[in-house]
Amino acid sequence: MAEALEGRRSRRTATLASLAAELGVSRTTVSNAYNRPDQLSPALRRRVLDTARRLGYPGPDPVARSLRTRKAGAVGLLLTEALSYAFRDPVAVQFLEGLALACEDNGSGLLLVPVSPEADDPGAVARAGVDGFVVYSMPDDDDNFHAVLERPVPVVVCDQPTAVPDVDRVGIDDHAAMVDMARHLADLGHRDIGVLCMRLSTDRNDGFASPLRQERARYEVQRRRLAGLREGFSAAGVDWNHVPVVERYDHSESAGASACEQLLAQHDVTAVVCTSDILALGALRHARQSGRAVPDELSVTGFDGVPAAERAELTTVRQPTLDKGRAAGELLLDRGDRQRSRTLLLPTELLARATSGPARTA
């Protein structure tokens, strides 16, 4: 095996021209064997590929091909997290699967372009060899997002930011979904509530978020979910200025558990409303470890509808995350002759399960 590998390293790589000369065919014939196989008979194509393998020809240079065709053959996914987040967070995983399905149907590749909110390198966007971008849940003031808009390629935004002219968008009505959640809890008698939310801006804040910070949040999804809760509970007579909101920069179950601990240490509430299932699962863990019965002493709710939430019988809002990814990919890849941008809002569903119940009385 080692000798074979050494032989491969030392052997001079064949070129398209030398392969064509070896076979006695034109360069176009060799190129068609890779790029337009329907133009050759199966026997001729097999002969070209077998000879290429024997001579060590690796195939047409993809960079040179993209320069000729001005097509990269790939979609870029821009997300404001580290690369591992796309494979760790269950919502991101579902979205990525949906987007990948759309790319498969179109015969396109998928390039992940992760940009941490703590980094400032718009060059990653400029270097990405893609035919278009899907922007996944970026803050509205992100330099990388503005770098995407400067590229002469189509762009589809998923979730946020929303107020971008001439750009397609896929999302849900986060505000309306949280109004429904607030009404559900208010109908159960809950008036003393606390909220755990994901990061509101790019500056780290692991603590209570004031009403002013909530209103100025750079992440629109979180701002809209909090505004929906405020509207729903205000209609039930709750003064939102007295509702404690605990923010966590990192999105993990441990962050949800520590946020719940911080909330309950300072406030006596009957319900903890979380803006994601991941935070809610952490809150459930802390509630049970601290001896609070759910939902008899404390109701806990989430948002997203991830598989772990179903296993935990968590009351939540389910959103069609996989369909979001597929729809974003289809909007990007199927441009057609349309001249106007499109916005596609997908439906959500409130799922009242075992973690929400009537508010406890004194």
Side-chain angles (χ1 to χ4, degrees):
M1 176 66 73
E3 293 178 357
L5 289 174
E6 184 61 34
R8 178 177 297 179
R9 293 192 192 101
S10 62
R11 183 172 59 193
R12 185 174 181 179
T13 302
T15 65
L16 185 146
S18 64
L19 178 58
E22 173 77 13
L23 291 164
V25 300
S26 68
R27 296 184 185 185
T28 301
T29 297
V30 175
S31 177
N32 285 343
Y34 291 90
N35 301 320
R36 303 178 65 188
D38 58 302
Q39 300 296 308
L40 306 181
S41 68
L44 177 56
R45 181 169 187 261
R46 174 51 53 193
R47 187 162 70 92
V48 171
L49 297 179
D50 287 346
T51 305
R53 189 177 301 108
R54 178 171 57 82
L55 297 180
Y57 176 63
D61 184 348
V63 175
R65 182 175 182 272
S66 67
L67 289 174
R68 290 194 303 271
T69 63
R70 301 188 67 82
K71 291 290 185 181
V75 169
L77 173 61
L78 185 71
L79 66 158
T80 177
E81 298 291 346
L83 181 60
S84 59
Y85 185 85
F87 302 94
R88 182 179 69 249
D89 182 83
V91 176
V93 168
Q94 290 178 337
F95 179 84
L96 187 60
E97 180 182 357
L99 179 57
L101 289 172
C103 290
E104 286 178 4
D105 293 342
N106 191 71
S108 297
L110 180 59
L111 176 67
L112 301 186
V113 188
V115 285
S116 169
E118 299 172 345
D120 185 15
D121 181 24
V125 171
R127 293 189 298 268
V130 297
D131 299 317
F133 283 96
V134 172
V135 176
Y136 182 51
S137 204
M138 302 284 289
D140 55 14
D141 58 351
D142 191 278
D143 289 339
N144 295 283
F145 175 63
H146 293 292
V148 164
L149 297 180
E150 292 174 358
R151 293 278 301 267
V153 295
V155 177
V156 174
V157 169
C158 180
D159 289 336
Q160 58 189 359
T162 58
V164 186
D166 303 322
V167 171
D168 291 338
R169 176 177 172 264
V170 177
I172 61 173
D173 192 335
D174 293 278
H175 182 279
M178 275 306 205
V179 170
D180 290 342
M181 178 63 78
R183 288 173 178 165
H184 166 69
L185 291 170
D187 288 344
L188 291 171
H190 293 280
R191 298 296 185 272
D192 298 314
I193 62 165
V195 178
L196 310 184
C197 72
M198 296 169 62
R199 78 169 71 117
L200 300 177
S201 294
T202 54
D203 61 308
R204 180 177 285 273
N205 175 50
D206 290 314
F208 290 93
S210 68
L212 181 61
R213 180 174 176 83
Q214 297 169 39
E215 292 173 6
R216 293 180 176 178
R218 308 317 301 171
Y219 286 91
E220 289 185 61
V221 166
Q222 295 302 300
R223 187 171 70 235
R224 290 173 180 270
R225 290 181 188 178
L226 292 174
L229 291 173
R230 180 176 59 204
E231 178 180 319
F233 281 114
S234 295
V238 175
D239 184 352
W240 187 258
N241 290 319
H242 295 157
V243 173
V245 176
V246 181
E247 177 185 355
R248 281 296 181 266
Y249 188 87
D250 295 325
H251 189 221
S252 64
E253 285 191 31
S254 60
S258 68
C260 187
E261 180 180 15
Q262 185 176 12
L263 171 69
L264 297 181
Q266 299 188 37
H267 297 274
D268 182 23
V269 298
T270 63
V272 176
V273 189
C274 304
T275 62
S276 80
D277 285 345
I278 296 300
L279 294 179
L281 292 169
L284 277 177
R285 185 176 71 191
H286 173 73
R288 287 164 176 163
Q289 288 176 348
S290 61
R292 290 177 172 83
V294 177
D296 295 339
E297 295 180 70
L298 185 71
S299 290
V300 178
T301 68
F303 196 110
D304 286 327
V306 301
E310 182 176 0
R311 294 192 294 270
E313 298 186 84
L314 176 69
T315 293
T316 189
V317 173
R318 179 167 59 195
Q319 61 166 317
T321 309
L322 187 145
D323 292 340
K324 262 190 187 178
R326 184 190 284 273
E330 291 173 347
L331 277 178
L332 185 74
L333 294 165
D334 184 18
R335 307 303 298 177
D337 297 327
R338 56 192 169 91
Q339 301 298 319
R340 297 180 179 178
S341 60
R342 293 190 293 183
T343 296
L344 179 60
L345 290 181
L346 302 179
T348 60
E349 181 183 8
L350 174 63
L351 301 175
R353 295 189 179 122
T355 64
S356 60
R360 57 179 166 80
T361 57

